[in-house]
Amino acid sequence: MFDALPLTSAQADIWMAQQFMPDAPFAIAYYVDLVGAVDLDTLVNSGSAAHREYSSSTMRIVEIYGLPTQRFEAAETDAVQILDFREHDSPADAARQWMNDDCRTPLSTDGQLVRLRVLRVGDDRVFWYTRAHHIALDGYASMKVLERAAALYAAVQDGVEPPLIEPTTPAALLAEDERYHASTRARRDREYWESTEMGYTAPLSPAATPAFVPIVVGEDRTISRADCGQP
């Protein structure tokens, strides 16, 4: 889709932090609680298609001459998995614990940077779980992908074509980042932060270790068929 592109400054910072702290889970994760008669095949296809449109699941980090770059595959290499928790005494609690445990594990930058899972917690209830390395998605982009997946799903259910969108390309994001760093605003920002006492007295070294804190996975929203205009 794209030739190799440099990382944006934010991506490069995340990549560097991951090198210093390889065991830290630099990731964003959320789930949507879907209640009702969910078409799992359409859900999987819609979620996968939305991530492809935004180039998040097809992004790969490749080092060229020791420098990280971003490249893009034609399709995902990690298929969406459907996990069934219905036989547990408390399916929803068991599923949340699974997601919580998953969030605590590092997400490698060597392969696909987005993980999609469907967790069945009832005959008419599923958790749609997304976890992505922060180098591929931030909170804003995650919500845009989620909105697009919902639109694609609704279009299939209604038997209509989905609305057309033009997601910002990785090349456009990189160009905007480069414009900012060449601007007077970036110079003013740098001067401000260089003159601000942040309380740090020593530079970060590879020996640094992160302080792990409890992670609580919370639901983003509850969606029923009525919420989506379905009978």
Side-chain angles (χ1 to χ4, degrees), residues 148 151-164:
R148 181 57 175 169
L152 294 173
Y153 182 94
V156 172
Q157 295 298 298
D158 293 339
V160 299
E161 289 296 317
L164 296 177

Side-chain angles (χ1 to χ4, degrees), residues 169-203:
T169 65
L173 290 172
L174 178 63
E176 179 61 30
D177 184 61
E178 291 173 342
R179 281 193 294 271
Y180 165 73
H181 283 281
S183 69
T184 56
R185 177 185 172 187
R187 185 163 56 252
R188 291 195 304 268
D189 291 345
R190 183 167 52 253
E191 291 171 354
Y192 171 80
W193 289 111
E194 286 176 348
S195 65
T196 300
E197 176 57 52
M198 299 296 292
Y200 300 110
T201 58

Side-chain angles (χ1 to χ4, degrees), residues 92-146:
D93 289 342
R96 291 191 187 95
Q97 184 61 56
W98 182 92
M99 292 185 289
N100 203 36
D101 292 342
D102 185 66
C103 288
R104 294 175 181 275
T105 61
L107 189 58
S108 174
T109 58
D110 291 336
Q112 184 166 312
L113 301 169
V114 175
R115 177 179 299 164
L116 305 176
R117 299 291 184 263
V118 177
L119 285 62
R120 300 200 68 176
V121 297
D123 294 339
D124 59 354
R125 186 184 182 191
V126 301
F127 293 164
W128 173 244
Y129 171 74
T130 302
R131 185 189 182 200
H133 199 289
H134 227 313
I135 205 168
L137 277 179
D138 60 12
Y140 175 78
S142 295
M143 292 301 99
K144 298 298 290 185
V145 174
L146 181 59

Side-chain angles (χ1 to χ4, degrees), residues 10-230:
Q11 289 173 319
D13 288 344
I14 294 171
W15 182 85
M16 181 60 70
Q18 188 74 87
Q19 309 312 302
F20 279 112
M21 296 177 287
D23 294 331
F26 286 90
I28 181 170
Y30 61 89
Y31 74 95
V32 182
D33 188 348
L34 298 169
V35 179
V38 179
D39 184 334
L40 294 184
D41 289 338
T42 300
L43 177 65
V44 167
N45 292 337
S46 299
S48 298
H51 278 281
R52 285 195 300 273
E53 289 183 2
Y54 280 87
S55 304
S56 50
S57 62
T58 56
M59 177 186 174
R60 300 291 183 272
I61 301 300
V62 180
E63 289 189 39
I64 299 179
Y65 301 116
L67 296 176
T69 64
Q70 49 182 328
R71 284 183 171 174
F72 300 87
E73 303 289 343
E76 304 93 342
T77 55
D78 178 22
V80 180
Q81 296 180 20
I82 299 176
L83 309 177
D84 198 336
F85 290 84
R86 288 177 295 178
E87 293 185 359
H88 288 262
D89 292 336
S90 180
D93 289 342
R96 291 191 187 95
Q97 184 61 56
W98 182 92
M99 292 185 289
N100 203 36
D101 292 342
D102 185 66
C103 288
R104 294 175 181 275
T105 61
L107 189 58
S108 174
T109 58
D110 291 336
Q112 184 166 312
L113 301 169
V114 175
R115 177 179 299 164
L116 305 176
R117 299 291 184 263
V118 177
L119 285 62
R120 300 200 68 176
V121 297
D123 294 339
D124 59 354
R125 186 184 182 191
V126 301
F127 293 164
W128 173 244
Y129 171 74
T130 302
R131 185 189 182 200
H133 199 289
H134 227 313
I135 205 168
L137 277 179
D138 60 12
Y140 175 78
S142 295
M143 292 301 99
K144 298 298 290 185
V145 174
L146 181 59
E147 290 172 0
R148 181 57 175 169
L152 294 173
Y153 182 94
V156 172
Q157 295 298 298
D158 293 339
V160 299
E161 289 296 317
L164 296 177
I165 62 169
E166 294 184 1
T168 305
T169 65
L173 290 172
L174 178 63
E176 179 61 30
D177 184 61
E178 291 173 342
R179 281 193 294 271
Y180 165 73
H181 283 281
S183 69
T184 56
R185 177 185 172 187
R187 185 163 56 252
R188 291 195 304 268
D189 291 345
R190 183 167 52 253
E191 291 171 354
Y192 171 80
W193 289 111
E194 286 176 348
S195 65
T196 300
E197 176 57 52
M198 299 296 292
Y200 300 110
T201 58
L204 186 66
S205 72
T209 57
F212 287 96
V213 297
I215 299 173
V216 177
V217 178
E219 60 191 76
D220 176 71
R221 67 186 74 173
T222 297
I223 300 177
S224 68
R225 290 174 63 86
D227 295 326
C228 298
Q230 300 293 328

